[in-house]
Amino acid sequence: MGVSNDEFRAAMSRLAAGVVLVTAHDSDDGPRGEDVGMTATAFMSVSLDPPLVLVSLRNGSRMDDLLAEQPLWAVSLLSESQRHIAGRFAMKGRISDRLLFEDIPYTRGEASGAPLVGGALATLECRTEQRVVAGDHTLAIGRVLTANLPSAEGGPLTYFRGRYRQLG
């Protein structure tokens, strides 16, 4: 006995989650390297001392493969006005990451070298401390190296019942 994938997915869709863009810089991909990004809702704070966060990565995804090789990455906590960014980096069969970043304002993190999205509610730069395989995902636990609050405008972008939403 057990729960089916559809039952589990339906139940978990009732849990509202914040939406983040996880980014990293792949310096091995060509002369200048390539920026990689993925939308995530399975992201959380783990510890205050030391400052740790966790993101869940689908096994075999581009981000999972990259972070298995290099430990530096960043997170941009998306605002309600950044739904288009979340949707763009969550697409199945999407175009190259290089094109996805093309018209998004960002700065490059000093600690990670990863893109930090302009207008995000907060940005974090992290170094992987531990990777834990959990079913069809890997949990990447990262020590927070920098934390910034680039924008105080607007509320968070959330995900609930299969759709991006705003609070209120």
Side-chain angles (χ1 to χ4, degrees), residues 21-25 35-36 72-78 82 85 101 104-126 146-150:
L21 183 68
V22 179
T23 57
H25 184 73
D35 295 321
V36 178
L72 297 173
W73 45 284
V75 179
S76 297
L77 284 66
L78 299 180
Q82 295 177 314
I85 295 172
F101 280 104
I104 294 174
Y106 67 86
T107 59
R108 194 160 298 284
E110 289 185 27
S112 66
L116 303 170
V117 176
L121 296 177
T123 60
L124 307 171
E125 291 182 272
C126 306
T146 69
N148 292 294
L149 308 173

Side-chain angles (χ1 to χ4, degrees), residues 24 58 69 107 123 132:
R58 186 176 39 79
E69 297 297 319
T107 59
T123 60
V132 178

Side-chain angles (χ1 to χ4, degrees), residues 45-61:
S45 168
V46 173
S47 169
L48 186 59
D49 185 19
L52 299 173
V53 293
L54 175 150
V55 65
S56 183
L57 309 168
R58 186 176 39 79
N59 292 343
S61 68

Side-chain angles (χ1 to χ4, degrees), residues 88 97-106:
R88 177 182 293 189
D97 283 74
R98 189 176 311 270
L99 293 174
L100 292 176
F101 280 104
E102 201 167 72
D103 63 346
I104 294 174
Y106 67 86

